[in-house]
């Protein structure tokens, strides 16, 4: 992909798209366009299962006739298709109801600086090399222990793409990015009991990925550790969320302080600005300009600049997460969060997972969650879980078929510690989180 030439070509397409919207009577418009290529290989039981070469493109446009809004999208970038897509959006807008809060952001608030965030690192990987890596990954897992009885396969994926966004206020910018991953999932069997687990690695640069041997071995280790799992009797105890599932706790908080939830009054954190949500030692902050990070971006989905942002300081909520539309509904200012957060971090404590187990002493270590049992209006929380029962700071045995429950407001207030075992594989960067007490429903 000749990046700069391709970006320029796509920017011209966006420019033409916006001009066509103006010619068809739109008072304002914004549009985005993406072109992606990639390779995905999956191997199972030592053989290739699938090889996929991806090549996709798509555009979307939103037009406004004053404060009537219409949107349309297409995967065809031909001039005729572009014209028809704009016509479709304009037709919808003409028949839409007036919305006093609809419209583009204020022109003076749009991003004007575009740092190189080091997001583009293509992997020169052919299909045969990808196959070899996937098979090596799975072999590492299958050979780890005699109780590994079957496999769901290992996969190697590489992606590169360009995204361009523009609006009728003069904003027009495009950038290229890459994303690569390795994953593996295997099954173990002992005494008629079968379990499965997985592991994966993801990065912008393929050099930053864990080795295929490490990914396979970790998947197998996690599977073997789960064999012999049993349920627990119903009780209350401390709960330690491992880093890979702790991000879900933070995700529920972000949903509750997002503009859409707030103006619909469907959040358990209504009217919570400047109030204490977490203990004093909790700080949540964004670092959107980290070079090469998975959540890095110069601007949000509307073209407003992203910035380092302290969302929670000393446990106190400083800011909601607002787009232009939700901010207008709430009579506030956009915080540059159309499309969500970028590299949200929680300050880590001094202890790793093993030290947190000792701090917990007796309780439940959760490593997997099932179901969607979170009520965003009340904060009531109930999820199926599996993991390990811990006594005197040491793992005793694996557990499954249990439910953990509480209320998120109460859970956040009773966080005892955050580990330094930070999981960097997503947009929310957190270590393990220890909660003082939750209800466990079992046998």
């Amino acid at each position: 992909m000749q990046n700069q030439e391709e970006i320029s070509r796509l920017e011209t397409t966006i420019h033409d798209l916006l001009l066509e919207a103006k010619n068809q009577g739109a008072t304002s418009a914004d549009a985005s366009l993406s072109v992606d290529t990639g390779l995905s290989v999956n191997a199972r039981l030592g053989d290739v299962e699938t090889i996929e070469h991806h090549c996709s493109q798509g555009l979307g446009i939103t037009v406004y006739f004053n404060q009537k809004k219409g949107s349309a999208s297409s995967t065809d970038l031909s001039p005729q298709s572009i014209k028809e897509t704009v016509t479709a959006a304009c037709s919808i807008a003409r028949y839409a109801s007036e919305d006093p809060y609809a419209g583009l952001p204020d022109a003076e608030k749009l991003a004007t600086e575009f740092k190189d965030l080091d997001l583009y690192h293509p992997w020169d990987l052919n299909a045969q090399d990808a196959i070899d890596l996937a098979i090596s990954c799975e072999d590492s897992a299958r050979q780890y222990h005699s109780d590994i009885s079957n496999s769901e396969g290992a996969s190697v994926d590489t992606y590169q793409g360009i995204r361009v966004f523009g609006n009728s206020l003069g904003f027009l910018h495009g950038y290229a990015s890459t994303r690569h991953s390795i994953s593996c999932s295997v099954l173990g069997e002992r005494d008629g009991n079968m379990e499965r687990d997985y592991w994966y690695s993801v990065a912008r640069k393929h050099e930053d990925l864990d080795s295929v041997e490490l990914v396979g071995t970790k998947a197998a280790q996690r599977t073997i550790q789960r064999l012999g799992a049993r349920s627990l009797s119903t009780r209350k105890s401390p709960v330690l969320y491992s880093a890979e599932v702790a991000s879900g706790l933070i995700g529920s908080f972000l949903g509750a302080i997002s503009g859409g939830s707030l103006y619909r009054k469907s959040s358990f954190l209504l009217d919570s600005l400047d109030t204490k949500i977490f203990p004093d030692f909790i700080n949540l902050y964004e670092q959107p300009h980290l070079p090469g990070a998975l959540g890095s971006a110069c601007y949000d989905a509307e073209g407003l600049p992203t910035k380092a942002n302290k969302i929670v300081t000393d446990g106190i909520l400083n800011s909601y997460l607002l787009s232009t539309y939700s901010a207008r509904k709430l009579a506030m200012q956009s915080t540059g969060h159309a499309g969500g957060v970028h590299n949200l971090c929680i300050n880590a404590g001094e202890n790793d997972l093993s030290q947190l187990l000792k701090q917990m002493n007796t309780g439940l270590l959760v490593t997997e969650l099932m179901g969607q049992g979170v009520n965003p209006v009340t904060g009531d929380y109930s999820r199926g879980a599996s993991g390990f029962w811990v006594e005197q700071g040491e793992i005793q045995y694996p557990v499954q078929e249990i439910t953990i429950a509480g209320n998120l407001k109460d859970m956040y207030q009773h966080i005892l510690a955050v580990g330094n075992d930070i999981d960097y594989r997503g947009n929310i960067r957190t270590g393990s989180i220890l909660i003082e007490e939750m209800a466990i429903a079992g046998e």
Side-chain angles (χ1 to χ4, degrees):
M1 206 181 276
Q2 297 296 316
N3 277 344
Q4 206 46 56
E5 290 178 14
E6 183 72 355
I7 289 172
S8 296
R9 184 181 72 81
L10 297 177
E11 285 179 346
T12 300
T13 302
I14 289 286
H15 178 271
D16 294 346
L17 197 64
L18 296 170
L19 188 61
E20 179 63 33
K22 182 180 179 182
N23 290 340
Q24 293 195 30
T27 52
S28 60
D30 65 31
S32 63
L33 195 161
S34 62
V35 175
D36 308 320
T37 61
L39 171 68
S40 295
V41 168
N42 192 71
R44 181 172 178 269
L45 301 178
D47 289 322
V48 184
E49 198 162 59
T50 59
I51 302 173
E52 295 181 17
H53 287 276
H54 313 289
C55 188
S56 63
Q57 59 185 26
L59 66 87
I61 183 164
T62 298
V63 301
Y64 298 92
F65 282 64
N66 296 314
Q67 287 174 308
K68 296 181 176 184
K69 174 183 171 182
S71 299
S73 61
S74 175
T75 56
D76 184 350
L77 304 187
S78 67
Q80 182 61 31
S81 174
I82 286 175
K83 188 169 185 177
E84 290 171 356
T85 304
V86 174
T87 300
C90 291
S91 297
I92 293 168
R94 286 190 179 94
Y95 289 101
S97 301
E98 289 269 358
D99 185 339
Y101 307 103
L104 299 181
D106 297 333
E108 65 274 11
K109 294 180 179 177
L110 293 167
T112 55
E113 295 181 15
F114 308 104
K115 299 177 184 176
D116 179 2
L117 297 179
D118 198 31
L119 305 182
Y120 184 72
H121 297 275
W123 190 0
D124 185 16
L125 183 71
N126 61 42
Q128 186 57 55
D129 290 342
I131 290 166
D132 293 343
L133 286 170
I135 289 174
S136 294
C137 183
E138 190 195 38
D139 284 348
S140 296
R142 294 173 66 203
Q143 295 164 8
Y144 175 77
H145 196 284
S146 59
D147 286 341
I148 297 294
S149 60
N150 208 334
S151 171
E152 292 184 341
S155 63
V156 174
D157 297 89
T158 175
Y159 147 94
Q160 57 182 316
I162 291 175
R163 182 177 183 272
V164 178
F165 177 77
N167 64 31
S168 55
L169 299 173
F171 184 96
L172 183 59
H173 186 260
Y175 63 93
S177 64
T178 54
R179 187 182 183 97
H180 318 293
S181 65
I182 300 166
S183 64
C184 184
S185 176
V186 289
L187 292 86
E189 188 171 6
R190 183 187 300 155
D191 300 329
N193 172 41
M194 188 175 286
E195 295 289 344
R196 63 162 287 283
D197 214 321
Y198 69 97
W199 196 246
Y200 71 97
S201 179
V202 60
R204 297 277 189 194
K205 298 181 186 177
H206 73 88
E207 297 93 341
D208 292 340
L209 292 169
D210 291 339
S211 70
V212 290
E213 292 79 14
L214 178 61
V215 172
T217 300
K218 188 79 181 266
Q221 284 174 341
R222 288 167 62 90
T223 299
I224 294 298
Q225 288 169 348
R226 291 177 66 143
L227 288 170
R230 57 182 104 158
S231 188
L232 291 170
S233 59
T234 296
R235 64 187 75 183
K236 289 187 175 181
S237 83
V239 171
L240 176 58
Y241 285 75
S242 65
E244 63 267 24
V245 294
S247 58
L249 277 180
I250 305 303
S252 294
F253 165 72
L254 298 177
I257 63 168
S258 294
S261 298
L262 295 168
Y263 76 72
R264 294 186 185 95
K265 301 196 181 300
S266 60
S267 167
F268 64 94
L269 291 178
L270 288 175
D271 304 317
S272 292
L273 268 186
D274 303 320
T275 64
K276 198 169 184 61
I277 309 297
F278 297 95
D280 291 345
F281 64 87
I282 297 290
N283 294 289
L284 284 167
Y285 54 98
E286 272 184 289
Q287 295 182 295
H289 301 155
L290 287 175
L294 292 171
S296 294
C298 289
Y299 50 88
D300 73 355
E302 297 179 314
L304 270 63
T306 54
K307 61 183 186 296
N309 186 24
K310 295 179 179 178
I311 295 172
V312 171
T313 305
D314 301 333
I316 294 171
L317 177 62
N318 301 321
S319 171
Y320 292 142
L321 307 178
L322 306 179
S323 65
T324 297
Y325 183 80
S326 60
R328 287 171 181 160
K329 293 277 283 189
L330 295 165
M332 300 176 78
Q333 296 294 315
S334 172
T335 58
H337 287 105
V341 295
H342 300 88
N343 298 325
L344 185 91
C345 308
I346 184 169
N347 60 304
E350 297 178 353
N351 294 337
D352 62 16
L353 181 61
S354 63
Q355 292 167 317
L356 287 178
L357 291 174
K358 288 181 169 56
Q359 180 180 346
M360 180 170 69
N361 190 33
T362 297
L364 177 68
L365 168 62
V366 174
T367 58
E368 186 175 16
L369 293 164
M370 287 78 78
Q372 303 294 323
V374 182
N375 186 323
V377 180
T378 63
D380 289 338
Y381 180 99
S382 178
R383 302 282 305 273
S386 59
F388 301 89
W389 184 249
V390 177
E391 292 177 2
Q392 297 181 332
E394 300 289 338
I395 289 174
Q396 300 300 308
Y397 52 85
V399 296
Q400 63 181 9
E401 296 177 357
I402 58 172
T403 301
I404 54 175
N407 183 276
L408 285 168
K409 264 191 172 181
D410 186 57
M411 290 160 63
Y412 293 151
Q413 290 279 359
H414 290 87
I415 292 175
L416 297 180
V418 178
N420 62 13
D421 54 334
I422 298 169
D423 188 348
Y424 293 100
R425 296 174 300 171
N427 198 19
I428 298 174
R429 299 170 158 220
T430 178
S432 301
I433 294 178
L434 176 59
I435 294 176
E436 184 176 0
E437 186 178 81
M438 291 180 68
I440 301 172
E443 293 174 335

